[in-house]
Amino acid sequence: MSDLKTASQQLDDAIKAAEAAAAKVEELKKVTREEDLKNVLALIARHGFTQTDLKSVLKVRGTTAKTATGTKRAYVRKKK
């Protein structure tokens, strides 16, 4: 009977496993980010891309109209 886990114990184990997996994913993202950045820099150097060449590709659009949460900001009328 002690070998069987209750549903709440199984849930706790699943939550711990999910947190561990999320932490591992974040760590791997950090490692691959640096490797990928090196690859990008090598490609930029190889092809001689300039800032002007990359500007249209890397430009982030619409970030000024949104808050940090991604929701649209409310319009606030200026006082006269």
Side-chain angles (χ1 to χ4, degrees), residues 60-76:
V60 178
R61 300 172 194 258
T63 57
T64 58
K66 294 184 180 181
T67 62
T69 59
T71 58
K72 198 169 186 178
R73 287 190 219 166
Y75 177 76
V76 178

Side-chain angles (χ1 to χ4, degrees), residues 2-59:
S2 63
D3 292 340
L4 298 175
K5 292 185 178 183
T6 64
S8 62
Q9 289 172 333
Q10 291 177 356
L11 177 62
D12 290 341
D13 291 344
I15 289 171
K16 288 177 185 175
E19 289 172 353
K24 186 173 182 177
V25 166
E26 290 303 317
E27 183 63 33
L28 290 172
K29 280 184 182 180
K30 288 178 185 177
V31 171
T32 57
R33 181 183 186 278
E34 295 194 15
E35 292 173 2
D36 291 343
L37 185 57
K38 288 178 185 177
N39 291 338
V40 168
L41 292 174
L43 289 172
I44 288 171
R46 179 186 302 162
H47 295 285
F49 292 128
T50 64
Q51 183 178 4
T52 305
D53 295 334
L54 300 174
K55 186 176 182 180
S56 64
V57 177
L58 299 177
K59 187 173 184 180

